[in-house]
Structures are given as structure tokens and as C-alpha cells.
Amino acid sequence: MIVKIKNLDLKQVAESGQCFRWKKIEDDIYALPAFGEVLVIKKVGANSFDLSCDEESWDNIWSSYFDMDTKYEKIGKLIKSGDDEHLKLAYEKGQGIRILRQNLWEMIFSFMVSQNNNISRISKSIDMFCERASVKYTEVSGMKIYAFPSFNEIDLSIFDDKSLGFGYRAPYLKEICEYVTANSSWLDELSHMNYDDAMKSLMARKGIGAKVANCICLFGLHLTDSFPIDTHVKQILDKHYKNGFDFDRYQGIAGIIQQYLFYYDLKFETK
């Protein structure tokens, strides 16, 4: 089916640091694994995309995944009407970024892996983990794309495998699998918490600090006022916002703004 999606640039989203398992097939064609499914999406015109799913799957899974209810054009107008010239530059270069609505369990695990790590290594570790821990895969363009395993499907001995590249994070990842398996209602409880309560609950788990908890809130819970601060973002704030960032102006969407700033710094400023 063909759908119209404004403010979507597949390459920008793939490189924005919020998803680690998108697979590029060709320019403007990606395979997206999520919720046990794989969507092949191809840009076919201005704001037009050819999807491998049917209308029912679009309505039930992918429309939400692409955050179709958020008015990204309105956010763009708010940025352009302000006096933050650096943010205007960042938005110009990254206005195709949307905050995906991803699986909460996958985001908890993935962003625990992301600590003191880079996007390439994170993706490699998670792909290897999925291949070894999952039994379900979809073949796309000769690639086997494995589903992300549920917490109760994982053989915990996998965390003894140093070749996965988890390093010091391995015992924390094992512990979170054990915890969620023993407390199966926790994920649902998290999904109904406000930002402060979610942060407190997440940071009570070993291996989840403020930055990772904020990433989980933003990308797993879609709490778009979350503003993860890593090395890149701290440098942005120190360099461009010495007098403080205007969080009041962007209340409720600070996490979306963070993605524009992060992407611009990663792709256009960081050498």
C-alpha cells in the first residue's frame, strides 16, 4: 500500500540513534523489524511511501509506530518562529526525524546495551543477540532478520557469551531479564506512569542511570518531554546554550527537539 507521511526521512531516522535494527536494502528502501513483524518501506515520491503491509497492519501496528498522531509540521513552525538559530539549523537538516513508538521491552534492553557504546557496536551486539536468542526470523533480500526475543524466551546463559560484546553490561542485562520475568506486570505499569514515576522505577534497576532511563522514557514510553543528555548533548548545551535551553517554549516536545539537536551534532558538527 502507498501512504503519505510528512516529515519522514528514512535515512535520518535510521541514523538518529533511536533504532538499532533497521536494515538498509537500497537508498530509500529499509526493512524495519518491530513487534514481531518486518515492514519493507520504500520512498516513492514526495512524502509518499510504499509499504509491504496491508491496511489492517498499517492501522494496528505501523501507523502508531511512525507516530502519525503527532503534528510534526506544527513543531517545525514553532521552531521557525523562534530566535534559536542553532535549533533552526538542526531542524533544517533533521526535519525528517520522527520519534518512533517502539516496543518497551526492546528499548529497555537496547538502551542498557547503549551505555558507553556507539551506534555501530550497539547494532552489531543486538543483531547477534537476536540471532542467537530468537527462533523467529523473516527473510528480506537475502537477509535473515530475527525477531527481538521476549524476556521469558531468553536462555540466561547467553550472557556468558563474551563475543556478543555486552562487556560489563552483561550482568545487568541478565538481571533485567530475570526481574521482568518475575515481575511480568512491571512493563504495563511503566506504560501507565508519568515521567517522574517512570524515571524512578527505571533507575531502581541495576545498570539504568539517568541518561538510559530518559532514553527509555522517550523511545519506549513516548514521554516526549524526556531529554536524554549524553556526551554529545552535554557538549551541545555547553556550546550553544550557555544561558540555558528554553525548555518552557518546548514543553511537552523537548525530546523531539533533542533528536534534532543530537542528529545535527552527530552528522554535521562532530568531527
Side-chain angles (χ1 to χ4, degrees):
M1 62 181 292
I2 305 293
V3 297
K4 290 278 189 180
I5 310 176
K6 295 181 179 180
N7 296 97
L8 175 61
D9 185 299
L10 298 174
K11 184 174 185 291
Q12 289 177 12
V13 176
E15 296 177 352
S16 67
Q18 62 173 301
C19 51
F20 303 110
R21 298 202 302 129
W22 279 29
K23 305 301 178 192
K24 182 178 179 180
I25 299 173
E26 297 177 16
D27 288 344
D28 292 323
I29 307 177
Y30 286 79
L32 320 182
F35 300 102
E37 306 289 337
V38 177
L39 177 77
V40 177
I41 181 170
K42 176 182 180 180
K43 184 176 182 181
V44 292
N47 302 320
S48 293
F49 298 86
D50 186 2
L51 309 181
S52 63
C53 67
D54 58 20
E55 188 171 351
E56 182 180 3
S57 292
W58 169 254
D59 290 339
N60 293 335
I61 301 173
W62 301 107
S63 177
S64 173
Y65 181 80
F66 286 112
D67 194 25
M68 295 299 290
D69 291 336
T70 297
K71 307 300 182 185
Y72 284 87
E73 287 180 287
K74 185 177 179 180
I75 295 170
K77 290 177 181 178
L78 180 64
I79 292 170
K80 292 175 183 179
S81 67
D83 57 7
D84 187 335
E85 298 303 322
H86 180 71
L87 178 54
K88 289 179 184 179
L89 279 175
Y91 177 74
E92 180 184 348
K93 296 293 188 180
Q95 60 188 281
I97 295 173
R98 306 175 74 92
I99 304 297
L100 304 173
R101 290 180 177 266
Q102 302 182 79
N103 176 266
L104 175 57
W105 163 242
E106 182 174 346
M107 292 300 96
I108 291 172
F109 192 98
S110 298
F111 281 100
M112 289 180 71
V113 174
S114 78
Q115 296 178 86
N116 301 313
N117 217 341
N118 63 47
I119 293 174
S120 177
R121 286 201 302 262
I122 298 163
S123 295
K124 182 178 179 181
S125 288
I126 293 174
D127 278 345
M128 291 172 64
F129 170 73
C130 290
E131 181 176 350
R132 296 181 192 181
S134 180
V135 295
K136 179 182 178 182
Y137 68 85
T138 302
E139 191 159 340
V140 178
S141 297
M143 295 184 292
K144 289 182 179 180
I145 302 177
Y146 287 82
F148 196 89
S150 174
F151 47 86
N152 55 9
E153 295 175 340
I154 299 168
D155 180 345
L156 297 180
S157 66
I158 196 171
F159 298 109
D160 297 326
D161 186 347
K162 298 188 184 328
S163 70
L164 292 174
F166 291 149
Y168 74 89
R169 309 165 196 86
Y172 303 139
L173 295 168
K174 181 179 180 180
E175 191 276 342
I176 199 70
C177 289
E178 292 174 326
Y179 180 78
V180 180
T181 299
N183 299 272
S184 57
S185 65
W186 183 60
L187 296 178
D188 183 62
E189 291 166 2
L190 274 174
S191 68
H192 292 90
M193 290 181 187
N194 61 31
Y195 170 74
D196 289 337
D197 289 342
M199 286 289 290
K200 182 178 179 181
S201 185
L202 286 164
M203 291 176 66
R205 309 302 343 136
K206 294 178 181 177
I208 301 181
K211 181 260 182 179
V212 169
N214 267 296
C215 286
I216 295 167
C217 283
L218 181 57
F219 303 121
L221 294 169
H222 207 73
L223 295 171
T224 53
D225 220 14
S226 310
F227 195 87
I229 298 178
D230 66 355
T231 301
H232 287 292
V233 178
K234 185 178 186 306
Q235 290 173 347
I236 293 166
L237 297 176
D238 290 344
K239 181 177 180 180
H240 298 285
Y241 300 98
K242 291 183 173 65
N243 296 321
F245 181 76
D246 191 354
F247 286 100
D248 290 337
R249 179 177 177 83
Y250 300 105
Q251 185 175 5
I253 57 169
I256 299 173
I257 302 301
Q258 187 265 15
Q259 277 284 274
Y260 298 142
L261 294 172
F262 175 84
Y263 178 78
Y264 184 74
D265 180 75
L266 191 68
K267 304 302 293 185
F268 297 97
E269 289 205 320
T270 301
K271 303 298 181 183

